[in-house]
Amino acid sequence: PPFQLKVGSDSPETDLQRVTMLREALGSESRIRLDANGAWTLARASSMLRALAPLDIELIEQPVAAHAIDDLARLRRAGQIRVAADESLADPAGARALIAMGAADLLVLKPGALGGLRPAASLARAATEAGLDFFVTSLLDSALGVVAATHLAAALPSAGLAHGLGT
């Protein structure tokens, strides 16, 4: 399974140092996912993704603010690291627009944040139709929410990405 590290709350130098240390500790075979929770500006995200690219990062979740769909699209087009939309999916209309414009490489589907299993499954279908990947994860759910997310993950076609259900 991939290892996920939160970034964006420290200086860029500290984030880069932490990710470098993690890569060295895990070795080249392990997958690393980063999550900035929308903490970076477009300029900071662009700079950070260029600096992080040599570290073989699997993906970066929500590098810019949730409403900054155009910025997310610019980062995706730059192609440094695969870009995942997370908080940007909370608004159904915004999520559909994000998918339509291909503003992310993949979607992070959190049923608890998306209004339940049906809306999450609907976004998974829309992503698949648009050629985007996705993975299912949980929020701060109870055991019931994690089980529901697990059932959703099992019911959806797999893109080969590990789901984030061991949070």
Side-chain angles (χ1 to χ4, degrees):
F3 188 93
Q4 182 169 337
L5 182 66
K6 298 286 185 178
V7 293
S9 62
D10 288 312
S11 70
E13 297 79 18
T14 300
D15 278 339
L16 184 57
Q17 182 181 35
R18 288 174 54 230
V19 177
T20 300
M21 289 170 43
L22 180 61
R23 171 52 69 211
E24 289 170 358
L26 294 176
S28 62
E29 298 300 313
S30 296
R31 291 175 287 154
I32 297 175
R33 294 178 180 177
L34 303 176
D35 188 353
N37 288 111
W40 293 332
T41 63
L42 175 61
R44 169 75 47 87
S46 296
S47 172
M48 287 300 293
L49 296 188
R50 276 191 305 277
L52 292 164
L55 298 174
D56 192 28
I57 304 302
E58 181 182 38
L59 60 91
I60 176 88
E61 288 183 36
Q62 205 64 55
V64 294
H67 67 275
I69 304 302
D70 290 337
D71 291 348
L72 203 62
R74 285 185 187 97
L75 293 171
R76 181 188 187 206
R77 285 192 301 271
Q80 299 291 333
I81 296 174
R82 293 180 78 198
V83 175
D86 182 350
E87 289 88 348
S88 293
L89 304 176
D91 170 46
R96 298 286 179 193
L98 183 147
I99 292 168
M101 68 186 290
D105 294 293
L106 52 121
L107 309 182
V108 181
L109 302 177
K110 295 178 179 172
L114 298 174
L117 296 173
R118 285 190 177 144
S122 176
L123 279 177
R125 284 190 297 279
T128 300
E129 290 169 5
L132 304 178
D133 290 334
F134 63 85
F135 62 94
V136 178
T137 187
S138 57
L139 205 48
L140 296 173
D141 296 322
S142 68
L144 216 55
V146 174
V147 167
T150 302
H151 282 280
L152 176 65
L156 294 172
S158 174
L161 291 167
H163 295 287
L165 300 167
T167 56

